[in-house]
Amino acid sequence: MAKKTVKFMLTAFRDGFQSVVGARVLSKDFLPCVEEAYAAGVRWFEAGGGARFQSCYFYCQEDAFEVMDKFRKAAPEADLQTLSRGVNVVGLESQSSDMIKLHAQMFKKHGMSSIRNFDALNDVNNLKWSGQCIHDAGLNHEVVVTMMGLPPGIDNKGTHTPEFYRDRLKMIMDAGIPFDRVAFKDASGTSTPTTVYNTMKLARKLLGDKVHIQFHSHETAGNGVACYLAALRGGADGLDLSMAPMSGGTCQPDIITMWHCLDGDPDFCFDFDINKIKKAEDSFKNAMQKYFLPPEAMSVNPQIVWSPMPGGALTANTQMLRDNNMMDKYDEMIAEMYDCVRLGGFGTSVTPVSQFYAQQAIQNVMFGKFKKFAPGYAKMVLGYFGKTPVPPDPEIVKKASEFMASSDLNKAYSQPTTKTVLEMNDADPKKGGAVAKKMLEDAGLPVTDENIFIAASCKEKGILFLKDPSKAPMGCRFAEEAKPAAGKGGPVTVTINGKAYGVEIKGDGKAVVNGKEVAFKSEAGIKAAAPAAAAPAGGQEVKAPVPGTILRVTATNGQKVAKGDEILVMDVMKMETPVTAPCDGTVTVTVAATDKVATGDTLAVIG
């Protein structure tokens, strides 16, 4: 019998980036590698979506739509696939019907040919409209069942078993959602080979022989290759593979590794020229030498099965922990994941649910176990992202409800709901195209379909980018460069108001400040700067509860505020964290949007 040729999608330029460097890579550095991989015969790429959409605006000073256009030019006849999170599309926050439709239309317009579409809760209601929109836009719809292994010692309550995954696939089919391919996606790499094999067998029996089945996993727990072999023997047609240095560890198995595994196999083979693939991988490794590769992304962590953190979320979170000087909390955060999963309803640990788990884990570390709630986690257990596979722990639901009710900002989400996400979002006056359009008009920006979608999915950070990309954050982390000798124009330490900054001028308008590259401008002479607002003497200081970045200031200097009124909002680990007035009085805010602050820094004074 002839061998079966294994199809593969190259994930290096999307999931590879997300899983190793938090999706923070500049297109000028990787697009030549796309061209070389295309020349080597690769015809199916993961080319965007997922975290790579927001990261362009948040960290790379690039427009994701322009990057997609360039990707299409680099691989003109390839199937270019992106990743979408059902009703969340490419953001952490779910969207209204019009934005979900616009997402598919804009990605089609900018050269994409397929969209992989998943829901972290495996709630079919979250896939119906998004799948229809992908189909109607003329794109291939690859519908997904998400997988993970529950932490050891937890009763699975009938979830995350081969039969559970088969039943979810059957629900997708019964709902009449149009699709072209089916993928099973294990973002944390915690499923066992036996579960994978039996899942593929059941799915193949349900789908018949003509529907393509793709399998996706990570090497995070050390069994990615074993699961890939199990998937093939169970009936999968294709695999997601990556290239070094964005392979192995927290990422997908390497294409060369998988080729080697199948070399001489009696049943399966690839049809590419391995020497051309090796040459393309060598070029990619050279191109990525300039980037800092986190050590936690480059190795296997067998204990991740107790705290199923996906590769993409793991490194995105460690990047943010480093940015906020909180990397010392990493081990505690990972340990807290166990209870966040155990009590939260068994949603699959993949974005955005993985981020909710991580955000709640940080809250537990900083403030005590479930003393405070990350709004995303609270909304999830209360039903605002759809139906969890099993009901969350009743005590957690009660605590989350009480926490959300304690703040005027969250009261609207304080009671459990059974409404669908689209029902709620379409009725929400703060969501949709009209709201995004007004954001653009208020900022004096062009109202285009692309800008509307950027504003809806990236909010203030998207507006900041559109106003002036050069002033958007540059969050790419680069490998340490050779430093000049001390005293000869080398790095210096500058202390301002008691806070030390390590500064190294690199030239061409660039400097490295505390390990991060920033743009700067210098001019001869001293220009008068607007004086900072004078804080009222004897007032009560409002201090930062955790490290983070000022996202927006909502109070104006001189404004009368009451205890509990919102003063500003911080961005902490991709989570909006409101800061409220601790007392009545007149507020003077001493920080501005985009400022980075440490725990205990003064944000405002109320006198």
Side-chain angles (χ1 to χ4, degrees), residues 330-357:
Y330 171 69
D331 289 338
E332 294 176 79
M333 180 189 78
I334 288 294
E336 282 294 331
M337 283 276 292
Y338 184 93
D339 280 340
C340 294
V341 174
R342 180 175 66 87
L343 302 171
F346 295 178
T348 311
S349 192
V350 60
T351 306
V353 170
S354 57
Q355 202 64 21
F356 300 156
Y357 288 149

Side-chain angles (χ1 to χ4, degrees), residues 23 35 99 160 276-277 280 333 336 406 431 436 518 546:
E35 293 178 357
M99 290 299 97
H160 296 288
K276 291 182 179 179
I277 293 292
M333 180 189 78
E336 282 294 331
S406 68
K431 293 190 176 185
V518 298
V546 291

Side-chain angles (χ1 to χ4, degrees), residues 161-291:
T161 65
E163 293 75 20
F164 171 78
Y165 299 134
R166 175 203 59 198
D167 292 346
R168 292 291 150 158
L169 176 58
K170 189 173 187 304
M171 290 171 68
I172 290 170
M173 298 168 71
D174 291 345
I177 300 171
F179 61 83
D180 302 278
R181 297 189 290 259
V182 172
F184 290 86
K185 177 180 172 67
D186 180 2
S188 60
T190 51
S191 296
T192 65
T194 299
T195 297
V196 172
Y197 174 81
N198 289 325
T199 298
M200 298 303 109
K201 292 280 286 186
L202 292 174
R204 179 55 70 200
K205 183 176 179 180
L206 191 61
L207 292 166
D209 295 332
K210 294 184 179 179
V211 177
H212 178 98
I213 298 177
Q214 189 79 359
F215 183 67
H216 168 103
S217 190
H218 293 241
E219 277 289 4
T220 315
N223 66 351
V225 169
C227 285
Y228 273 19
L229 290 170
L232 292 176
R233 305 206 185 284
D237 300 295
L239 304 170
D240 286 0
L241 299 168
S242 192
M243 294 195 304
M246 308 296 170
S247 63
T250 57
C251 194
Q252 283 74 60
D254 194 281
I255 184 172
I256 296 176
T257 301
M258 204 66 216
W259 168 84
H260 184 60
C261 284
L262 296 182
D263 188 22
D265 190 281
D267 301 313
F268 303 99
C269 65
F270 291 109
D271 65 355
F272 50 72
D273 183 331
I274 190 60
N275 291 312
K276 291 182 179 179
I277 293 292
K278 180 181 180 299
K279 182 174 180 292
E281 184 167 291
D282 287 342
S283 296
F284 188 48
K285 285 191 287 188
N286 288 333
M288 294 297 103
Q289 284 182 352
K290 67 185 289 186
Y291 290 91

Side-chain angles (χ1 to χ4, degrees), residues 341-487:
V341 174
R342 180 175 66 87
L343 302 171
F346 295 178
T348 311
S349 192
V350 60
T351 306
V353 170
S354 57
Q355 202 64 21
F356 300 156
Y357 288 149
Q359 290 168 349
Q360 187 57 45
I362 281 290
Q363 296 292 305
N364 289 359
V365 169
M366 300 296 293
F367 304 110
K369 194 178 290 290
F370 297 107
K371 298 294 185 184
K372 291 188 177 183
F373 279 80
Y377 187 85
K379 288 181 182 180
M380 178 183 72
V381 300
L382 292 169
Y384 288 93
F385 287 94
K387 186 177 180 181
T388 54
V390 299
D393 181 82
E395 185 62 23
I396 293 298
V397 173
K398 180 175 178 289
K399 287 183 177 181
S401 180
E402 291 171 349
F403 176 83
M404 297 298 273
S406 68
S407 165
D408 289 339
L409 300 172
N410 295 319
K411 276 183 180 177
Y413 305 100
S414 62
Q415 295 303 310
T417 184
T418 57
K419 292 182 179 179
T420 68
V421 176
L422 277 186
E423 281 182 286
M424 293 183 283
N425 288 353
D426 288 344
D428 189 339
K430 296 181 180 180
K431 293 190 176 185
V435 175
K437 181 179 177 183
K438 187 175 187 305
M439 290 176 68
L440 295 168
E441 291 172 342
D442 289 348
L445 293 166
V447 178
T448 65
D449 285 341
E450 286 84 354
N451 286 358
I452 287 172
F453 187 76
I454 292 167
S457 57
C458 299
K459 294 190 171 181
E460 289 87 354
K461 292 181 182 178
I463 296 296
L464 178 66
F465 170 87
L466 291 172
K467 282 183 176 179
D468 186 349
S470 68
K471 292 183 179 178
M474 170 49 71
C476 294
R477 300 182 72 90
F478 300 101
E480 188 175 7
E481 297 177 4
K483 296 179 180 180

